[in-house]
Amino acid sequence: MPMDRLILSKVDEELETSEVNALCFLCRDVVNRKRLENVVDGKGLFVRLEERGLLDNAAFLSQLLQTIGRNDLVNLLRTDRCQYTETDANPLLSDYRVMLYELHDDITQENLEKMKFLLENKLGRAQTEKCGTSLDVFAAMEKKGLLSNANLNELYGILREFDLQLAETVHTFIERLQFRPPCPKSNINEQNTNPRLQPCLSVTESQPSYPGDNVFSDSEPSAKPSSVDETDFYSFTHKPHGLCVVINIEDFKQSRRRNGSHEDERALRETFTSLGFTVEMHKNLESAEMKRLLVEKGRRNFNNEDALVVCVLSHGLKDCVYGSDDVQVSLRDLTQPFTSLNAPSLAGKPKLFFIQACQGSGCQGGSLPYIPKPEEVKEPQHLEEDAGAVQGETVPWDADFLLGMATVPEYKSFRDTKRGSIYIQELCKQLNESAQSNKMDDLLTVLTRVNRNVSKGVYLKYKQIPEPKYTLTKKVVLRYE
């Protein structure tokens, strides 16, 4: 269902002319540039977006507004939830165009004049005089073929003449792209380009893809060769890769203390720091504080990050964990702030949740065809259960989520009070080993090994088997930085 015209009208009223121009610039990859030339207000832009089917829901417009810093208008869109139909089919703004907008945000009027002077010979005096902002300059350079997502040499050279920090932003962007899988070979003559400064973009990063671009019927063979497609893998090119939030609930008002959880906290911090994430630690949050923290993180701008990781260490039952106030927080409450609806800059990016908590009060026996060794049967001395008392809600599965549970529904998970939980310690061990291996195993392969190794043990005479649930659309490969 198309977006409510009344909501769009309210957004239009709040937009300044400079912001409309910025939005038009950001849309140059998804809307024909000639169709954008006569746009003077938000309403005109919305008509162009509707023509492209980009306002069938609010995801793309939310990303646009978030990029220019108008989170207040993003919140306005969210008030009309009945108009949303969540989908990951909408195109995302390319890193290239967002990077240009961020450069524009940092270019002073003095530096703008310097840039125009340096480009006058190539753009022409009449054209440079028409440029009122750096976005106008970038657009003029693109029109002349001096700037594109595959050619940033000219811009890099110009910026080096008057602002080394801005030039470094472009250089960092180019360097980051060098780590992406190579693009298919082409016959384009590149003898006059600097290969070090030539980014190689995959289709998903450089431009939006629309249904039908790579769709073939079974009545005739595809002309494209079958080979490993770089789009099989999520992109991890930013530094840092993303945010890792660890919520460790050790002390409760009524439930018993979760001794040993500090070891899980330490292991997660060390592991995800080594994997290139910014790690935040939060301890002993009450249920409302936990929800509020995750809603706040969902409003964060993830345009310059590749992924999100959330780890929760607590007591729990089926489909819920507990805050330090012994009040349940449903798994839905954990994931909902990060859907493509609520966090558009995370759309199409992996959102990884690892939950150390029980999912019930039952204890699993061992009926698998596995004969434990005598030392494995021996009961550990410091094991406890992460069980609770209240049942919660089921998880809404949106695209690109992974939820790694310490155990299957209805059963307990176990934690050594001195060495940490069985699941988290094995998870960190396998992530670290995979990050150093030459095999390039994806996360699901790693979690399968976690399942196998945890299932071999005997804990307080019982068994434990973790449970990954996922709606990932690509492979996640995590490597040491």
Side-chain angles (χ1 to χ4, degrees), residues 466-477:
E467 180 188 36
K469 304 176 182 180
Y470 66 95
T471 56
L472 298 175
T473 57
K474 301 178 184 180
K475 295 180 180 179
V476 177
V477 176

Side-chain angles (χ1 to χ4, degrees), residues 8 11-12 15 20 23 39-47:
L8 293 177
V11 173
D12 170 59
L15 289 173
V20 173
L23 293 174
V39 171
V40 295
D41 57 18
K43 292 178 182 177
L45 176 60
F46 300 154
V47 170

Side-chain angles (χ1 to χ4, degrees), residues 216-397:
F216 301 90
S217 71
D218 287 331
S219 61
E220 57 184 3
S222 165
K224 296 187 177 183
S226 59
S227 61
V228 176
D229 189 349
E230 63 267 19
T231 58
D232 284 345
F233 297 85
Y234 287 104
S235 173
F236 283 88
T237 57
H238 293 87
K239 292 185 179 181
H241 288 324
L243 176 66
C244 174
V245 179
V246 178
I247 300 174
N248 180 20
I249 313 296
E250 288 184 286
D251 298 312
F252 298 80
K253 290 183 178 179
Q254 298 179 3
S255 303
R256 62 189 178 278
R257 174 181 170 82
R258 297 183 61 256
N259 294 312
S261 191
H262 65 281
E263 287 298 318
D264 290 343
E265 179 183 311
R266 177 194 57 77
L268 289 168
R269 182 196 305 111
E270 292 176 357
T271 296
F272 282 100
T273 297
S274 297
L275 292 174
F277 287 80
T278 300
V279 180
E280 288 186 5
M281 314 301 296
H282 301 272
K283 295 192 69 170
N284 298 326
L285 301 182
E286 293 187 351
S287 56
E289 293 174 326
M290 196 185 306
K291 293 177 185 179
R292 188 161 51 246
L293 171 69
L294 295 177
V295 169
E296 174 190 326
K297 297 305 176 186
R299 292 172 179 164
R300 195 168 180 267
N301 188 338
F302 290 90
N303 280 331
N304 292 320
E305 295 172 297
D306 304 306
L308 167 78
V309 177
V310 176
C311 306
V312 180
L313 316 172
S314 184
H315 291 309
L317 256 184
K318 183 180 178 182
D319 297 330
C320 77
V321 296
Y322 293 96
S324 62
D325 53 354
D326 294 287
V327 176
Q328 74 171 23
V329 177
S330 71
L331 299 186
R332 179 189 181 109
D333 289 332
L334 300 182
T335 59
Q336 192 69 15
F338 305 103
T339 64
S340 57
L341 167 63
N342 293 318
S345 60
L346 272 175
K349 301 178 182 181
K351 293 153 286 264
L352 314 176
F353 288 73
F354 299 102
I355 311 297
Q356 169 54 43
C358 290
Q359 288 208 69
S361 56
C363 293
Q364 282 195 318
S367 58
L368 296 176
Y370 170 76
I371 302 175
K373 298 177 182 178
E375 60 269 21
E376 292 176 329
V377 178
K378 186 176 180 180
E379 183 174 320
Q381 297 299 310
H382 307 288
L383 292 179
E384 292 183 353
E385 307 155 354
D386 276 334
V390 184
Q391 185 166 335
E393 301 176 56
T394 57
V395 178
W397 294 118

